[in-house]
């Protein structure tokens, strides 16, 4: 009866237009989608691109769902009248007219996803990182993420079917982090924005890790992703690349690289297993 009740509740909510749009979103020809696998830097990218696009409003956690909406928080009927720079975690959807796809080193994705699942109490304190990595590789972490496949499935669904097309831009999180000014200027034509130096600098400053961390402390209860989550674990953590070296065991690194090594190398990520002793590299 509980399953039937839950199903009935979902059906009624959908019929009344209350359910989040998700995969069923109405897509318009002028839409731009910011897409990436979970914990690939999409929230920071929403801040960065949102502050780049919107000159008269600063992006915060309190207004993020309205200024740079995600397809998972609002019903389709509401999103139809929202800004149409939308964030999505969906695997390939042929309806998306323009896409900025953020890809991140899966070793860092695994670490970030581990700590996020601690924060939202999906896994308990002391849960084995090695065991989590095995689940991560096999897309067996949480249903909402498992639904879109593993990291490699998700990345290749977009890269194989859209790479090389002018309406698709593949951006490495590491490159965006390392030189945001260069990447913003490059993406400005896709976003329909004039990339002035002042506009770029404003977006970078208002999307810095320190600024976002300060906002999180003040607004964590105003944002669905952090509301009622553990306050002793930050959502905005180190905001850097390569943190996996001090967090993952050699065994965990090997698990990821054995599963996805070819795709990682194709995307420009060096493998620890190619460079020498994994154990020594992880210690470093």
């Amino acid at each position: 009866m509980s399953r039937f009740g839950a199903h009935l509740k979902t059906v009624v909510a959908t019929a009344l237009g209350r359910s989040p749009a998700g995969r069923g979103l109405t897509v318009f020809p002028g839409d731009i989608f910011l897409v990436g696998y979970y914990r690939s830097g999409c929230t920071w990218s929403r801040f960065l691109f949102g502050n780049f696009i919107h000159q008269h409003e600063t992006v915060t956690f309190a207004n993020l769902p309205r200024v740079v909406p995600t397809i998972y928080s609002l019903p389709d009927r509401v999103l139809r009248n929202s800004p149409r720079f939308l964030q999505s975690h969906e695997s390939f959807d042929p309806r998306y007219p323009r896409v900025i796809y953020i890809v991140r080193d899966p070793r860092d994705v695994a670490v970030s996803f581990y700590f996020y699942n601690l924060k939202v109490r999906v896994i308990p304190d002391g849960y084995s990182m090695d065991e989590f990595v095995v689940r991560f590789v096999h897309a067996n972490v949480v249903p909402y993420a498992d639904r879109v496949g593993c990291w490699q499935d998700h990345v290749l669904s977009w890269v194989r079917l859209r790479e090389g097309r002018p309406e698709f831009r593949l951006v490495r999180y590491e490159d965006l982090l390392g030189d945001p000014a260069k990447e913003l200027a490059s993406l400005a034509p896709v976003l329909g924005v004039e990339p002035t130096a002042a506009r770029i600098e404003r977006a970078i400053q208002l999307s810095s890790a320190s600024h976002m961390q300060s906002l999180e402390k003040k607004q964590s209860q105003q944002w669905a992703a952090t509301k009622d989550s553990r306050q002793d674990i930050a959502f905005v953590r180190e905001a850097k690349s390569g943190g996996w070296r001090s967090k993952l065991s050699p065994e965990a690194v090997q698990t990821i690289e054995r599963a996805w090594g070819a795709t990682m190398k194709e995307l420009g990520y060096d493998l620890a297993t190619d460079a020498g002793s994994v154990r020594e590299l992880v210690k470093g």
Side-chain angles (χ1 to χ4, degrees):
M1 289 299 293
S2 60
R3 289 184 179 179
F4 175 76
H7 175 69
L8 181 61
K9 184 177 180 180
T10 300
V11 170
V12 171
T14 302
L16 295 176
R18 295 174 182 167
S19 294
R23 189 85 178 181
L25 174 79
T26 298
V27 177
F28 297 110
D31 288 349
I32 307 172
F33 287 87
L34 176 67
V35 182
Y37 191 72
Y38 293 92
R39 306 304 295 172
S40 293
C42 290
T43 300
W44 171 60
S45 299
R46 287 169 75 188
F47 267 75
L48 184 64
F49 292 128
N51 282 316
F52 189 44
I53 294 168
H54 300 285
Q55 289 294 280
H56 303 296
E57 185 170 14
T58 300
V59 179
T60 69
F61 285 106
N63 68 16
L64 185 62
R66 174 176 56 80
V67 178
V68 187
T70 173
I71 68 172
Y72 308 106
S73 61
L74 297 169
D76 187 57
R77 60 181 176 80
V78 176
L79 286 174
R80 290 181 189 184
N81 298 309
S82 298
R84 300 303 292 192
F85 179 65
L86 302 155
Q87 188 267 323
S88 167
H89 290 301
E90 294 300 296
S91 51
F92 179 70
D93 190 325
R95 301 175 305 151
Y96 288 13
R98 287 178 289 174
V99 172
I100 296 173
Y101 187 94
I102 306 294
V103 65
R104 186 182 187 184
D105 187 324
R107 294 163 296 195
D108 279 329
V109 174
V111 172
S112 180
F113 207 13
Y114 173 84
F115 282 102
Y116 179 70
N117 279 285
L118 279 176
K119 180 174 179 59
V120 296
R121 303 182 180 88
V122 169
I123 56 177
D125 283 330
Y127 192 86
S128 166
M129 176 71 85
D130 284 2
E131 184 175 341
F132 180 85
V133 166
V134 171
R135 291 175 57 183
F136 171 68
V137 165
H138 290 92
N140 185 29
V141 178
V142 286
Y144 68 81
D146 303 342
R147 178 183 63 82
V148 302
C150 67
W151 174 87
Q152 179 173 255
D153 292 341
H154 195 277
V155 172
L156 293 183
S157 77
W158 284 101
V159 171
R160 291 289 183 264
L161 294 170
R162 282 285 178 88
E163 190 173 27
R165 297 189 184 184
E167 67 273 15
F168 177 79
R169 299 293 296 273
L170 177 66
V171 181
R172 295 200 328 163
Y173 168 82
E174 294 78 13
D175 296 334
L176 191 60
L177 192 66
D179 194 346
K182 177 183 176 181
E183 296 299 326
L184 286 176
S186 174
L187 292 166
V190 179
L191 299 169
V193 169
E194 181 64 30
T196 64
R199 188 169 197 157
I200 289 173
E201 182 60 26
R202 173 184 178 275
I204 293 171
Q205 291 299 322
L206 292 175
S207 310
S208 68
S210 60
H211 181 66
M212 289 179 64
Q213 288 163 350
S214 176
L215 287 175
E216 182 185 352
K217 291 177 181 178
K218 301 171 185 175
Q219 301 175 341
S220 63
Q221 293 301 315
Q222 299 177 51
W223 189 42
T226 51
K227 185 179 181 181
D228 301 325
S229 66
R230 290 178 55 171
Q231 299 304 298
D232 60 321
I233 299 176
F235 179 87
V236 182
R237 297 178 56 252
E238 298 171 319
K240 67 178 184 179
S241 61
W244 61 268
R245 294 178 181 276
S246 62
K247 298 291 190 227
L248 296 181
S249 69
E251 291 74 22
V253 172
Q254 289 178 327
T255 295
I256 294 172
E257 294 186 359
R258 284 171 181 163
W260 303 329
T263 299
M264 292 170 65
K265 290 170 74 172
E266 180 182 334
L267 294 167
Y269 296 114
D270 295 330
L271 305 188
T273 47
D274 284 352
S277 169
V278 177
R279 194 168 299 276
E280 291 302 316
L281 287 168
V282 171
K283 285 180 181 178

